[in-house]
Amino acid sequence: MRLVFLGAPGVGKGTQADKAAVQYRIRKISTGDLLREAVRNQTPLGLEAKEHMDQGRLVPDSVVIGLVREKLADPLYVNGFILDGFPRTVPQAEALAKVLDERSLQLDRVINFMVSRSEIVKRLSGRRSCPKCQATYHVEFAPSKSGSLCGRCGETLVQRSDDRPEAIETRLRVYEEQTAPLIDFYEKKRLLSHLNGAETVDTVYRNLVKALAAPQTA
Ligand code: AMP
């Protein structure tokens, strides 16, 4: 199964991709996670990406396309994958189509997760993460049992620099301007299914499984 999970930041696509990856025995490719890892390791790619990410802007297409192209060449992904947070622009979607075409592969489905803007802001601004083990929490909806420390490894939790209010505003604007056009792009290719992402994690997941089992009708 080759899937793309589409949606604004904070709609929960990463959480859903983690669950689906286990059930369908395919791997998740999150460009956000790959870029954050590069930033932590201070690689040349990470150094180039950091400033864009901190401001909530997109990293240049050429950088992320190169990253995904390299991943998809790895035999680990031959049985399928879930792309989480890629593509985010029309040129990225076109590049993905080309990479898959070169391997005579096709996307099976694009899932568009929908959540209202006010709910997204609430989700992102309360998000905290562990800089050591990468566990994530939410101050209101999923607090750590250890307060401001990670419940798993005891490290002090931090707020992602791009979850600060100014960066959240920029990320939502960038989503509207550059990523939302992909809804139309994939609708025209008859690959798109819409899901309400505002329900609980388990309900969204149940609906996702149903959507993946249903024939494409768009
Ligand atoms: P995410 O964790 O998916 O919200 O990504 C965090 C940040 O990484 C984004 O705000 C961008 O700066 C960068 N990023 C992730 N994926 C992409 C992409 N496909 N294209 C450009 N920038 C990206």
Side-chain angles (χ1 to χ4, degrees), residues 51-178:
E51 203 191 318
H52 298 285
M53 294 173 76
D54 282 349
Q55 309 280 325
R57 293 193 311 260
L58 293 185
V59 172
D61 282 343
S62 57
V63 174
V64 272
I65 289 169
L67 207 58
V68 171
R69 177 180 277 279
E70 198 180 297
K71 280 277 156 195
L72 291 180
D74 188 321
L76 280 175
Y77 300 94
V78 74
N79 288 332
F81 52 77
I82 304 172
L83 284 167
D84 161 23
F86 181 95
R88 261 174 152 104
T89 64
V90 170
Q92 289 181 19
E94 285 166 345
L96 174 62
K98 185 156 169 272
V99 172
L100 293 176
D101 205 42
E102 284 163 9
R103 297 186 166 76
S104 305
L105 300 174
Q106 278 175 350
L107 285 178
D108 293 300
R109 196 70 68 89
V110 177
I111 305 288
N112 179 40
F113 293 85
M114 298 176 304
V115 175
S116 71
R117 187 185 172 95
S118 59
E119 176 69 19
I120 287 176
V121 172
K122 226 191 295 171
R123 287 183 183 186
L124 292 179
S125 54
R127 189 157 71 173
R128 299 290 180 274
S129 58
C130 174
K132 196 165 159 201
C133 75
Q134 318 313 323
T136 55
Y137 302 90
H138 190 282
V139 289
E140 193 183 331
F141 310 133
S144 165
K145 289 191 291 284
S146 315
S148 61
L149 305 179
C150 178
R152 208 196 279 170
C153 75
E155 187 73 24
T156 301
L157 299 176
V158 296
Q159 182 173 40
R160 265 170 55 171
S161 45
D162 59 351
D163 283 342
R164 285 172 294 109
E166 322 80 76
I168 291 175
E169 280 305 312
T170 307
R171 289 164 75 197
L172 290 175
R173 201 185 57 244
V174 164
Y175 167 77
E176 286 301 333
E177 288 171 5
Q178 303 196 58

Side-chain angles (χ1 to χ4, degrees), residues 16 19 23-24 195 199-213:
Q16 297 295 327
K19 288 170 82 72
Q23 177 164 344
Y24 297 100
L195 273 193
E199 314 261 14
T200 64
V201 170
D202 287 344
T203 305
V204 176
Y205 189 65
R206 261 199 308 277
N207 291 334
L208 171 65
V209 171
K210 267 191 232 156
L212 291 176

Side-chain angles (χ1 to χ4, degrees), residues 31-53:
T31 40
D33 287 349
L34 292 173
L35 290 166
R36 276 186 290 280
E37 192 187 332
V39 171
R40 274 197 303 280
N41 295 333
Q42 302 192 339
T43 65
L45 172 86
L47 295 175
E48 181 179 354
K50 184 174 182 342
E51 203 191 318
H52 298 285
M53 294 173 76

